[in-house]
């Protein structure tokens, strides 16, 4: 158990819908990263938050948005869902977000868009 | 742009034998970190081993060791005395040292099969 929690574990929805994925970082960690893993592929970086502020964006679609709240939990919002958005979404946390810090991964949320 | 390449989609090894997984990367940076992550069927991402580019000594964690060749931009993972529990997807990842965006850049993964 990494100490990072993600809810829900599984999500099944229809095209055009909107969903929210939630992540709680390890106690004391200030940074949260979101990654997308399509079927049997490597992870793609989506976005990084540090202490409530957006630090970096990766290959995140305009239909996707995220935020980190004062209690440091983070939410990833996916809207106007398409079949291709079906994937495993990981959240990871680290203490400061520095290069040396290990990123601890949550168990992921599996999103299926029908 | 930095890229990570894992050229072996799948590898298999007999239990108790040794296997090496390959990883190459492309970067113009001189300082960075390299990682191997394991993803078992549970889908949890587990850090196996980490290497700092400025360190010449290869990292070792119990049965797992790396062969880091900085000039060749190669970072292979050796698993000794393979066990059934080692069966998983293995991902190589890169992170720059100086970039303020400390995202991990990932390879496509290698599926490791352990034959009993």
């Amino acid at each position: 158990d990494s100490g990072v929690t993600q809810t829900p574990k599984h999500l099944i929805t229809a095209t055009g819908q909107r969903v929210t994925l939630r992540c709680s970082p390890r106690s004391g960690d200030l940074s949260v990263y979101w990654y997308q893993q399509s079927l049997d592929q490597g992870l793609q970086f989506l976005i990084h938050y540090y202490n409530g502020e957006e630090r970096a964006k990766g290959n995140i679609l305009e239909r996707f948005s995220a935020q980190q709240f004062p209690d440091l939990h983070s939410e990833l919002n996916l809207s106007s869902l398409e079949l291709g958005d079906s994937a495993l979404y990981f959240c990871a946390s680290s203490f400061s977000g520095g290069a040396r810090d290990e990123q601890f991964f949550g168990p992921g949320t599996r999103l299926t868009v029908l | 742009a930095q890229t990570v390449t894992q050229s072996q989609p799948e590898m298999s090894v007999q239990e108790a034998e040794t296997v090496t997984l390959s990883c190459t990367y492309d970067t113009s940076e001189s300082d960075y970190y390299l990682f191997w992550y394991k993803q078992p069927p549970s889908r949890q991402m587990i850090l196996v081993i980490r290497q700092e580019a400025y360190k010449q000594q290869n990292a070792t964690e119990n049965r797992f060791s790396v062969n880091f060749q900085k000039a060749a931009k190669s970072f292979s993972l050796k698993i000794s005395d393979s066990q059934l529990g080692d069966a998983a997807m293995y991902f190589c990842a890169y992170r720059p040292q100086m970039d303020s965006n400390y995202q991990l850049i990932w390879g496509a993964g290698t599926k490791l099969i352990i034959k009993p």
Side-chain angles (χ1 to χ4, degrees):
Chain A
D1 184 357
S2 65
V4 179
T5 60
Q6 289 186 248
T7 56
K9 280 190 176 179
H10 302 278
L11 200 49
I12 302 174
T13 189
T15 54
Q17 295 297 305
R18 172 190 169 94
V19 297
T20 297
L21 313 184
R22 182 187 170 104
C23 168
S24 293
R26 292 188 323 155
S27 177
D29 283 357
L30 301 175
S31 264
V32 169
Y33 299 80
W34 285 98
Y35 293 90
Q36 178 192 55
Q37 184 182 28
S38 298
L39 184 63
D40 290 331
Q41 294 184 15
L43 280 67
Q44 294 291 320
F45 168 70
L46 295 178
I47 199 162
H48 170 204
Y49 277 86
Y50 173 76
N51 203 20
E53 297 204 359
E54 181 185 303
R55 181 169 269 191
K57 267 186 176 178
N59 299 319
I60 188 167
L61 300 171
E62 285 192 12
R63 300 184 286 108
F64 295 2
S65 65
Q67 59 185 130
Q68 186 179 28
F69 295 86
D71 67 352
L72 301 177
H73 91 271
S74 177
E75 292 182 357
L76 179 67
N77 300 296
L78 315 177
S79 62
S80 302
L81 285 168
E82 301 175 0
L83 296 177
D85 297 328
S86 295
L88 194 56
Y89 291 85
F90 282 105
C91 161
S93 76
S94 68
F95 172 62
S96 69
R100 185 172 175 77
D101 285 358
E102 178 178 346
Q103 293 183 16
F104 294 86
F105 283 78
T109 293
R110 177 167 293 285
L111 173 66
T112 302
V113 182
L114 300 176
Chain B
Q2 296 117 346
T3 58
V4 176
T5 302
Q6 293 179 250
S7 59
Q8 306 154 316
E10 187 175 295
M11 291 283 285
S12 63
V13 64
Q14 207 70 37
E15 192 178 2
E17 305 260 305
T18 295
V19 64
T20 298
L21 308 184
S22 301
C23 173
T24 58
Y25 57 95
D26 186 24
T27 183
S28 57
E29 306 288 333
S30 58
D31 292 321
Y32 47 86
Y33 294 87
L34 295 164
F35 305 83
W36 278 99
Y37 279 85
K38 171 185 177 180
Q39 187 179 39
S42 67
R43 297 293 187 178
Q44 177 77 47
M45 278 293 186
I46 303 164
L47 178 64
V48 175
I49 201 164
R50 174 172 72 179
Q51 175 81 41
E52 289 94 336
Y54 65 86
K55 289 187 177 178
Q56 293 188 342
Q57 187 172 6
N58 289 323
T60 299
E61 289 286 344
N62 301 313
R63 298 182 295 107
F64 298 87
S65 61
V66 298
N67 183 5
F68 174 49
Q69 303 284 334
K70 191 172 184 180
K73 297 179 183 175
S74 170
F75 182 61
S76 60
L77 175 70
K78 185 171 86 170
I79 306 174
S80 304
D81 186 25
S82 299
Q83 300 175 1
L84 294 178
D86 295 333
M89 284 290 289
Y90 285 81
F91 292 95
C92 177
Y94 162 98
R95 187 200 293 166
Q97 164 74 13
M98 298 306 293
D99 195 330
S100 62
N101 171 17
Y102 298 122
Q103 62 165 297
L104 287 163
I105 299 167
W106 300 78
T110 296
K111 183 177 182 179
L112 179 62
I113 298 168
I114 310 294
K115 299 177 188 175

